[in-house]
Amino acid sequence: MILEALGSALLGFALAWAAAHRLATRLPARNLVLSTGAAGALIGSFVTHMALGAGHALGTLVGAVAVAAALLSLLLRPSRGRLRRRSATA
């Protein structure tokens, strides 16, 4: 269980680092992104481990990465280059 938690935290941190590196203009402060990735992976690991049970380490890691990615997607802001459309009544 401890190795699953450590592995999921590292995977969440790596996912958050990659997102912060590629989408730096659309994400908030790097510290928030990195901590959200690691915390999301730990929460996902816990939930997946409780749902699947012991002995499913790969499934637990996949669930951890999925929850971390979902939480990181909530931090994304709209891109600034898009044109804003207004309604016809405005």
Side-chain angles (χ1 to χ4, degrees):
M1 177 81 177
I2 291 177
L3 290 177
E4 285 179 0
L6 182 61
S8 64
L10 288 175
L11 282 175
F13 186 79
L15 180 67
W17 180 83
H21 183 44
R22 273 195 64 89
L23 303 168
T25 59
R26 295 184 59 196
L27 287 169
R30 185 176 288 256
N31 292 337
L32 177 65
V33 173
L34 295 177
S35 62
T36 300
L42 284 173
I43 292 169
S45 173
F46 175 72
V47 169
T48 310
H49 182 79
M50 289 297 130
L52 295 178
H56 295 92
L58 184 61
T60 301
L61 293 177
V62 169
V65 169
V67 172
L71 284 178
L72 287 172
S73 72
L74 295 175
L75 295 177
L76 283 174
R77 292 180 272 194
S79 63
R80 296 179 188 183
R82 290 180 34 194
L83 295 175
R84 294 184 186 237
R85 296 182 186 201
R86 294 187 177 194
S87 64
T89 59

